[in-house]
Amino acid sequence: MWVPLAVLAVLAVIGGFVGIGPAFRKVTGTEHPGGKLNIVRWLDPIVWNPATHEFGTEEAEHAQPVASHGAPVETHSSAAEAGHEGAASVYGDVGFNLAHSIEKSAGELGTEWLFIILSLLVAGFGILMGWYFYLKEPSLPNIWAARLRPLYNASYNKYWVDEFFGLTVTRRTMDLARVVFSFDSKFVDGIVNGFATLSRLFSRIVGGFDKYFVDGLVNTLAAFVARLMSPLFRAAQTGFTQNYALVMVLGLMLAVMAFLSSDIAKAASDTATAIKRAFGLLF
Amino acid sequence: MTDLIANNILSIITWLPVLGAILILAALKKDQSSLIKKFATAWFGLDFVASLWLLGYNREAGGMQFIEDHSWIPTIGARYQMGADGVTVLLILLTTLLGIIAALSSWNYIQKREKEYYVLLLLLQAAVVGVFSSMDLFLFYLFFEVSLVPMYFLIGIWGGENRLYAAIKFFLYTLVGSVVMLLGVLKMYFLTQDATLLAQITPQTLNNIAGNNAALAVLNSAAAAAKSGAGTFNIMYMQAMGSVLPMGTMQVLLFAAFALGFAIKVPMFPFHTWLPDAHVEAPTAGSVILAGILLKLGTYGFYRFNLPMFPGAVKDQQFFGSFGVRSVVVFLAIVSILYGALAAMYFVVKKDGDVKKLVAYSSVSSMGMVMLGLFALNPNGVNGGVMQMINHGIYSAALFLLVGIIYERRHTRNVAEFGGLSHVMPGYAAVFLAMVMTAIGLPLLAVFISEFLALRGAFESNPTWAALAALGIILNAGYFLWLYQRMFFGTIDNPKNEKLTDLSGREWAYMTPLLILALWIGVYPKPFLAFIEQPVNSVVKQIKPEYQIQGTTDVAAQPRIVPAAPAQATDK
C-alpha cells in the first residue's frame, strides 16, 4: 500500500525542482533554471506578451537586445523596462492582489523566502504533530479527542465544508443544469420547432387557398362556361353527315376568307373605286 | 510530375475523394462489402498522404500559399482560386486525418447500404476540404452549401430512430443561415465594383493581407478586376476592402448576414438546438465529422471572413448605444460556454442521460471558447481560438468514437446502464480517461494550451470576460469527471456488462493518433502555433492597424514583400 505514496513523494520532490525560483540564485546560477522546463517559462514560447509585442516575458526580452528590432519597438521598450508595473498596467490593476502587496513591502526575493519558510514551517509542524500523536504517544489522540470533542468532531467532518458546498454550490448547480436543459428543450428548441409548425401551418393555409379558392375559381368558371354552351354544342351533334359536311365547307370558306382577307378586302376596295370612277365618268 | 503536384496540391486534395467515390460507384459491386471498406479507407489514407504536402507551408512568410488561379465564370468575375494559409493547413490535415478515422470506425457499425455510405463520406470530405481551400468567395459558398448534402443523407439514412427529424432540422437550419449569408456575399460582390473604395486601400493593407509575393500578385490582379468595374469574388480583395469599408449600418448588416450563417454552423447560443439532435441521431462517423470538422466551418468562417472583412463592426462596442456588435458576439460566446456546460451537466444529473448528447452539448461550450478567443482580437486570443478549433476536433472526435465503441457492444448510450466498466475494459477506460482529461483542459494535454491562450487573450481585452468563461471550465470538469465516475468506477451492477470485450486492434489503430496528438499539442505546441502565427498576426493587424506586431522574436520572420507598387490602389 505504501508504493503509490512513495511514487507520489518522489514526484513531489521532482515537482519542486520544476518550479525552482530566484531565491536559490546563488546555488543554481540563474533566475529560473531549466530553461523552458521551468514552470515559470514553459509556456513562454507560445504566450504573446502584450507589453513587448513578442512571444515570451520581459526577461526574455532583455536577453535579446531591443535595438535589433528597429524603430517601432523603441516606444515599447520603456514599458518593458518598467518591469512588473508595465506588464500589470496592460491588464489594468485588477482589485487586491495579496502576493503583489506583500511584494511591494518585502521585495521579490523577500516574498519568495517568506512563503518558502512559511510553508516549510506549516508542513514541519504538521509532520511533527503527526509523529508525536500517532508514533510517539499513540494514546494521546483519544485523550485529546475526548477533551476537545466539538473541535475534534468539526475536524473529523472536515468542518462540514463538503456538506456546505454540496448544499450551496453543487446542488444548486445541478438545479441550474436542470433549468437550463428544460429551457433549452422547451423554449429555445420550442421556438425552432415553432417556426417549423408555423411554416407548415402557413403552407397548409396557402395550399388550402390554392386548392379551394384559386383552383375553385378556375373550376367554377369552367363549369359556368360548360353549362352556358352545352345546349348549343349538344344541338350541333345532329348525327347527319350532310350537316357536318356543311359545317366543314362553311368552316373552309371562313378559313379561306381569313387567309385571303387582305386580298379580298383589296379586291373589294379596288372594285368600289372602279365603280365610283365608272359612275363619275357617266355623270 | 512534382511540379504538377506542387501547382495543384489543393485541387488534388479536394478532388481526390471525388475520384475515389466515382471508382467505388463504377467498379465495386454492392455485395463486395469488405473490399468497399478497405478501398474507401485506403483512399482516405491516400488523401491524407497527399495533404501532408501542405506541411511544406512557409511559416515565416505567412499569407496564402499553394495558390491556384484559373478562369471559371468570367461574366460574374468568379474564378477558380484556391489557396491555404497556416490555419487552413492545420484544418485540412485534421480533416483528412479524421477522414481515415471515420472510415475505419464504420467497418462494423454500418451494416446496410455500405457502398453509398462510403461514397457519401468521400464526397463530404471533398466538400469540406474545398471550403477550407477556396480563395474565391463564390467557390467557397458553393462548397459550403454542397457540404450539407452528404451529411443530410448520412444522418437521414444511417441514423438512429428519429433520424429524419434530425436530418431535416440540420439541413433547414443551416440552409436558413447560409441563404442570409448569400445576400451578404452578393452585396460584397457589388461593393467590389466600387472604384472609390478601391482608391482608398493602402499598399500596407494589401501587403499585410497577402503576406507573400505570389499572393500579392493574385490580390493585385483581383484589384485590377475590381478597378475595371467587373467586380471580383477574391477573398483577399474583399478583406482589403474591409479595411476601408465605412463603419455604419451597412457594415453591421453585412457582418450580421455573414455572422448568422456561421453562428448557426458553430453553433452559438441560441442557434445551437440542431446540434444535439443531429449528433444523437447521426452514426458514429457522422458525429465525428460533424463535431470534428463541420462545426469548424463556422468558426473558420468567422476567422476568414467576419474578422478581416468587417474590422469596424468586429471591434465595435457602441453601435447600439451602450453596447456594440463585438459585445453581442462576446456575450453570446460566454453564454454558449456556460449554457452548453450546464446543459451537458443535465445528462449526468439525470439518472439515465444520453452520453452522446452530453458530448454534443459540451461541444457548444467548447466552440463558445473558440468564439471568445477569436473576438478577444489580440494574438493570444486568436491563437487560442484557432488552436481550440483543432483541439476540439481531436477530443470531441475521440469522445464520439468512444461512445460509438460502447454503443456497438451494448446498443445503448444510457449512463445508467453502465458502471464499473474499468474492470472489464481497462484499455477502453484508459483511453476514455485520457480524452476526458483532454476535454477538461488538464495541463500537458492539448485543450489546456488553447483554453489558456483564449482565456489569456480574453483577459487582456476584458478580465470580466475571462472570469466568466473560466467558470465554464469548472463546470466542464464537474460533469466529465462525474460521467467518468459513473461509467467506469465502482462495481459492475449490470450483468450485461460482464462479458464486454476490450478495444480491438482496429479500434486501437484509430484512437492512437488522436491520443498522440492530444499529448503532443499539450506538451509541445510550438510547431502547431508556428503555422498559425503569421496568419493570425495579419488578421489582428487588419482589425487593429495601430496594434504593434513584431512577428516572432526574430524580426526577419516578418512578411517582407518587395514593394510591388500596387499602382491601381494608389493612383487617383
Side-chain angles (χ1 to χ4, degrees), chain A:
Chain A
M1 204 45 219
W2 61 273
V3 176
L5 284 176
V7 170
L8 285 175
V10 171
L11 285 176
V13 172
I14 294 172
F17 283 109
V18 164
I20 192 162
F24 299 94
R25 191 165 13 195
K26 283 198 181 121
V27 187
T28 58
T30 58
E31 294 266 307
H32 300 285
K36 283 176 205 163
L37 286 179
N38 193 301
I39 200 155
V40 178
R41 282 284 161 72
W42 74 287
L43 284 176
D44 271 6
I46 60 159
V47 175
W48 187 270
N49 189 332
T52 60
H53 305 287
E54 298 271 342
F55 278 109
T57 53
E58 292 90 48
E59 285 88 348
E61 166 72 18
H62 285 308
Q64 288 189 323
V66 174
S68 74
H69 296 296
V73 188
E74 294 296 329
T75 47
H76 294 274
S77 55
S78 58
E81 274 154 21
H84 287 279
E85 285 80 44
S89 65
V90 174
Y91 315 115
D93 203 0
V94 191
F96 175 69
N97 188 327
L98 181 69
H100 269 190
S101 43
I102 293 177
E103 209 170 322
K104 249 176 211 161
S105 54
E108 201 179 338
L109 268 186
T111 315
E112 202 174 340
W113 276 113
L114 181 75
F115 281 111
I116 289 172
I117 291 166
L118 206 66
S119 55
L120 279 180
L121 277 180
V122 171
F125 183 71
I127 292 168
L128 195 72
M129 295 293 277
W131 168 79
Y132 188 71
F133 272 62
Y134 292 94
L135 292 176
K136 185 97 194 308
E137 303 278 346
S139 56
L140 266 185
N142 288 334
I143 300 169
W144 277 96
R147 205 176 285 172
L148 298 171
R149 183 50 61 182
L151 217 66
Y152 175 80
N153 276 343
S155 157
Y156 188 79
N157 290 303
K158 291 164 277 170
Y159 308 100
W160 294 279
V161 166
D162 281 351
E163 282 77 3
F164 174 76
F165 271 111
L167 212 63
T168 54
V169 179
T170 317
R171 293 277 150 200
R172 300 292 79 80
T173 311
M174 285 160 70
D175 288 343
L176 195 61
R178 282 191 200 95
V179 170
V180 162
F181 182 75
S182 73
F183 174 77
D184 194 59
S185 55
K186 299 218 169 65
F187 185 74
V188 183
D189 207 25
I191 292 176
V192 176
N193 287 331
F195 268 111
T197 316
L198 237 115
S199 333
R200 278 205 297 273
L201 185 74
F202 190 64
S203 81
R204 215 167 275 153
I205 291 172
V206 170
F209 178 78
D210 192 58
K211 188 175 171 189
Y212 296 108
F213 188 76
V214 180
D215 205 29
L217 208 68
V218 172
N219 287 338
T220 317
L221 200 71
F224 178 71
V225 170
R227 189 132 175 216
L228 198 72
M229 302 298 277
S230 62
L232 199 73
F233 288 146
R234 204 178 296 123
Q237 310 292 328
T238 56
F240 297 111
T241 321
Q242 307 93 299
N243 285 9
Y244 293 134
L246 178 68
V247 171
M248 203 176 90
V249 170
L250 281 174
L252 200 63
M253 281 173 69
L254 278 174
V256 168
M257 277 167 72
F259 191 62
L260 302 174
S261 55
S262 57
D263 292 335
I264 293 168
K266 194 163 178 281
S269 72
D270 285 354
T271 319
T273 332
I275 291 170
K276 264 185 198 160
R277 201 175 293 157
F279 272 102
L281 284 177
L282 278 175
F283 304 103

Side-chain angles (χ1 to χ4, degrees), chain B residues 50-63:
Chain B
S51 69
L52 288 179
W53 186 285
L54 299 180
L55 288 175
Y57 179 80
N58 184 343
R59 289 168 265 179
E60 264 96 56

Side-chain angles (χ1 to χ4, degrees), chain B residues 70 81 161 271 348 363 531:
Chain B
H70 303 286
Q81 288 178 327
E161 268 174 34
F271 308 113
V348 267
S363 286
F531 273 98

Side-chain angles (χ1 to χ4, degrees), chain B residues 8 62 100 259 273 295-296 319 368 393 395 399 449 483 548:
Chain B
N8 299 298
I100 311 178
T273 56
L295 303 192
K296 274 62 198 186
F319 185 75
Y395 89 78
L399 283 175
I449 301 293
L483 172 80
Q548 281 273 318

